């Protein structure tokens, strides 16, 4: 007899990160010998710096092959705590640090700790799609915080505070942001944190995975620099974007003391611990020379200027200069083509991969996200192809 499986209803609520679907579509085209200019995935195109790779190699040779404590190797957690003091301006005890496989587990753990039917969780929209997906999985109500182009996609504290109700459990922030490159000004963060005084039932998850990728002299404002909310602020950071380590699966969370044991328990349930040798490489990344980060950031900065100029020369496109991360979020409403359709056509007809703004929430309609973690030549040629495609008579609104 044919199986008749009964899946949990939550399965139908789980979203996805479309980038991984586009990865498969691109791979299928490439397998047919097509050359695709890839601007869809949020991964640095650099190799992990050699001194970090060497630390991983040495760890394997030295026998780091087994489980580590669930929260991570004590020495690594100490280095993370020091790093937080240096780059996030906050005092962190190593006991608050949980090393996890990538940036994502900290999102899931935080949302699982607070989400359930009847609860509300505020999240940025357009924003990293896993926030809304995880919230829906738990049965909680996702409450979008709209980010607008005319404000450089930064949130306004008064608008955010107005979203808070007695049912709000968690607010998710992300600066610098994916997919917009938006950066929250310090004055807005100050106002938001001050406003939280009136809402002692609300926790904050601050996703700062792009904190080292800021341009034009912007200074990072970390949630850890607000000691007055240390008992309800969760920091997410990781190695993927800063050190070109997306495949190593290394991230960390800094948890308020009262939440550490719950998050640790989720880690034990899901992962046991994070790869031991990868932790050793990650430790070297944080305490070793940081010039590699500066070098990669300088390259992204140069590409940022190129891509924005190029995108603005495409008929129907408009793009402001992002202040952080490595994404350009172009307004494409002027083409008259819905974003998902435009994403599909750029891949099929111009062999340029990018992501529809709707991959980042309903409020991303009318936008495309281009990752500029790609060479300047690739960026120029991709934009030339798009310009050519959309310049054809009647091509734009077909
Ligand atoms: C805002 C944001 N948070 C978290 C992550 C997840 O990072 P990781 O690949 O290390 O899990 C990403 C990855 O794109 C991201 O853009």
């Amino acid at each position: 007899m044919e199986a008749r499986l009964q899946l949990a209803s939550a399965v139908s609520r789980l979203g996805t990160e479309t980038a991984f679907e586009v990865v498969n579509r691109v791979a299928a085209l490439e397998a047919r010998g097509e050359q695709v200019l890839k601007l869809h995935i949020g991964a640095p195109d650099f190799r992990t710096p050699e001194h970090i790779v060497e630390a991983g190699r040495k760890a394997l040779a030295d026998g780091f092959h087994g489980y580590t404590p669930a929260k991570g190797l004590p020495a690594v957690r100490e280095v993370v705590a020091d790093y937080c003091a240096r780059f996030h301006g906050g005092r962190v005890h190593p006991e608050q640090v949980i090393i996890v496989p990538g940036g994502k587990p900290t999102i899931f753990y935080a949302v699982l700790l607070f989400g359930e039917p009847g609860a509300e969780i505020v999240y940025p929209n357009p924003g990293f799609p896993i926030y809304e997906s995880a919230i829906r999985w738990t049965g909680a109500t996702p409450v979008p915080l709209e980010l607008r182009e005319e404000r450089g996609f930064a949130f306004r504290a008064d608008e955010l505070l107005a979203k808070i109700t007695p049912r709000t459990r968690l607010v998710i922030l992300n600066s610098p942001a994916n997919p917009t490159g938006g950066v929250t000004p310090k004055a807005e963060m100050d106002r938001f944190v001050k406003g939280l005084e009136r809402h002692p039932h609300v926790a904050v998850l601050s996703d700062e995975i792009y904190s080292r990728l800021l341009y034009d002299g912007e200074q990072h404002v970390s949630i850890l620099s607000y000691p007055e909310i240390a008992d309800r602020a969760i920091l997410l950071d990781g190695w993927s974007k800063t050190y070109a380590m997306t495949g190593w699966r290394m991230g960390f969370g800094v948890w308020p003391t009262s939440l550490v044991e719950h998050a640790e328990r989720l880690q034990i349930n899901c992962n046991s611990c994070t790869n031991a040798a990868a932790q050793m490489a990650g430790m070297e990344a944080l305490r070793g020379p940081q010039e590699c980060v500066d070098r990669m950031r300088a390259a992204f900065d140069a590409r940022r200027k190129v891509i924005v100029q190029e995108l603005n020369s495409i008929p129907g496109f408009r793009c402001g200069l992002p202040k952080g991360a490595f994404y350009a979020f172009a307004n494409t409403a002027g083409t008259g083509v819905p974003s998902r359709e435009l994403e599909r056509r750029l891949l099929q007809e111009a062999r340029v991969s990018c992501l529809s703004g709707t991959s980042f929430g309903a409020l991303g309609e009318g936008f495309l996200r281009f990752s500029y973690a790609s060479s300047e030549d690739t960026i120029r040629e991709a934009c030339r192809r798009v310009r050519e495609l959309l310049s054809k008579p009647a091509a734009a609104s077909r």
Side-chain angles (χ1 to χ4, degrees):
M1 200 161 63
E2 211 176 303
R4 280 201 227 125
L5 309 181
Q6 295 192 20
L7 288 178
S9 56
V11 174
S12 64
R13 298 197 300 265
L14 202 58
T16 189
E17 193 181 348
T18 333
F20 285 98
E21 289 167 13
V22 177
V23 166
N24 293 342
R25 259 177 257 148
V26 169
L29 285 169
E30 288 181 331
R32 288 185 358 219
E34 303 279 354
Q35 185 226 17
V36 178
L37 299 176
K38 297 188 270 291
L39 300 178
H40 61 284
I41 192 84
D45 56 328
F46 300 106
R47 286 172 62 100
T48 305
E50 188 50 33
H51 65 286
I52 302 174
V53 176
E54 181 49 35
R57 230 184 255 127
K58 181 170 183 314
L60 285 175
D62 289 352
F64 283 84
H65 300 171
Y67 291 125
T68 75
K71 287 171 27 173
L73 290 161
V76 182
R77 286 161 52 217
E78 265 178 43
V79 168
V80 169
D82 284 350
Y83 178 86
C84 289
R86 267 194 297 157
F87 291 102
H88 293 294
R91 278 189 48 199
V92 169
H93 194 281
E95 281 301 313
Q96 293 174 260
V97 174
I98 305 187
I99 314 282
V100 284
K104 279 177 179 163
T106 302
I107 299 174
F108 240 93
Y109 297 172
V111 173
L112 287 175
L113 289 186
F114 290 101
E116 62 184 344
E120 293 175 2
I121 299 182
V122 183
Y123 71 103
N125 190 334
F128 188 50
I130 300 308
Y131 306 142
E132 185 177 345
S133 171
I135 296 166
R136 287 192 188 282
W137 170 265
T138 66
T141 305
V143 178
L145 171 65
E146 297 88 3
L147 299 179
R148 299 203 187 85
E149 183 187 16
E150 60 270 24
R151 295 206 194 115
F153 298 105
F155 76 81
R156 280 262 306 268
D158 53 350
E159 286 179 8
L160 173 50
L161 291 164
K163 300 270 174 192
I164 294 178
T165 75
R167 290 178 299 282
T168 309
R169 303 265 182 97
L170 180 69
V171 168
I172 302 177
L173 301 177
N174 174 218
S175 175
N178 178 8
T180 61
V183 170
T184 303
K186 181 170 183 314
E188 294 300 324
M189 271 301 279
D190 289 352
R191 271 195 278 277
F192 168 61
V193 171
K194 180 93 189 102
L196 273 184
E197 275 175 19
R198 284 181 280 121
H199 307 289
H201 61 293
V202 175
V204 181
L205 167 65
S206 182
D207 182 341
E208 303 181 16
I209 202 157
Y210 297 101
S211 56
R212 304 281 300 279
L213 289 169
L214 280 163
Y215 312 108
D216 302 333
E218 283 287 329
Q219 294 296 312
H220 180 56
V221 183
S222 173
I223 201 77
L224 293 183
S225 64
Y226 295 91
E228 59 271 46
I229 53 164
D231 57 354
R232 49 178 157 148
I234 304 159
L235 169 84
L236 180 163
D237 199 349
W239 285 257
S240 294
K241 318 288 176 174
T242 309
Y243 299 99
M245 290 178 71
T246 52
W248 293 74
R249 308 310 302 138
M250 280 290 294
F252 65 85
V254 175
W255 296 81
T257 310
S258 68
L259 297 181
V260 177
E261 67 173 297
H262 304 301
E264 179 182 13
R265 202 164 277 199
L266 284 170
Q267 168 92 328
I268 292 168
N269 274 267
C270 301
N271 294 305
S272 292
C273 65
T274 302
N275 179 297
Q279 287 189 50
M280 295 302 284
M283 180 162 76
E284 176 58 25
L286 301 191
R287 69 176 183 192
Q290 300 297 302
E291 289 78 29
C292 51
V293 178
D294 297 333
R295 226 178 309 118
M296 289 188 273
R297 184 184 40 230
F300 292 137
D301 188 9
R303 295 161 178 190
R304 174 180 74 116
K305 291 168 185 151
V306 170
I307 198 165
V308 167
Q309 193 180 20
E310 292 284 332
L311 287 170
N312 279 316
S313 73
I314 296 171
F317 279 35
R318 175 177 79 209
C319 188
L321 198 61
K323 292 182 178 172
F326 39 55
Y327 307 112
F329 203 55
N331 183 321
T332 57
T335 63
V337 185
S339 299
R340 183 69 67 199
E341 165 71 4
L342 197 53
E343 171 203 280
R344 195 191 60 74
R345 285 190 51 205
L346 296 195
L347 184 59
Q348 293 308 322
E349 298 173 36
R351 297 287 185 249
V352 171
S353 63
C354 63
L355 293 180
S356 164
T358 51
S359 298
F360 303 92
L363 299 174
E365 181 54 56
F367 292 86
L368 288 180
R369 188 196 81 172
F370 294 86
S371 162
Y372 51 87
S374 219
S375 76
E376 286 184 32
D377 286 349
T378 302
I379 291 168
R380 283 206 173 86
E381 173 58 12
C383 291
R384 191 197 61 75
R385 288 188 192 178
V386 176
R387 202 163 35 240
E388 191 177 83
L389 179 74
L390 294 178
S391 304
K392 284 183 194 153
S397 54
R398 193 176 67 192

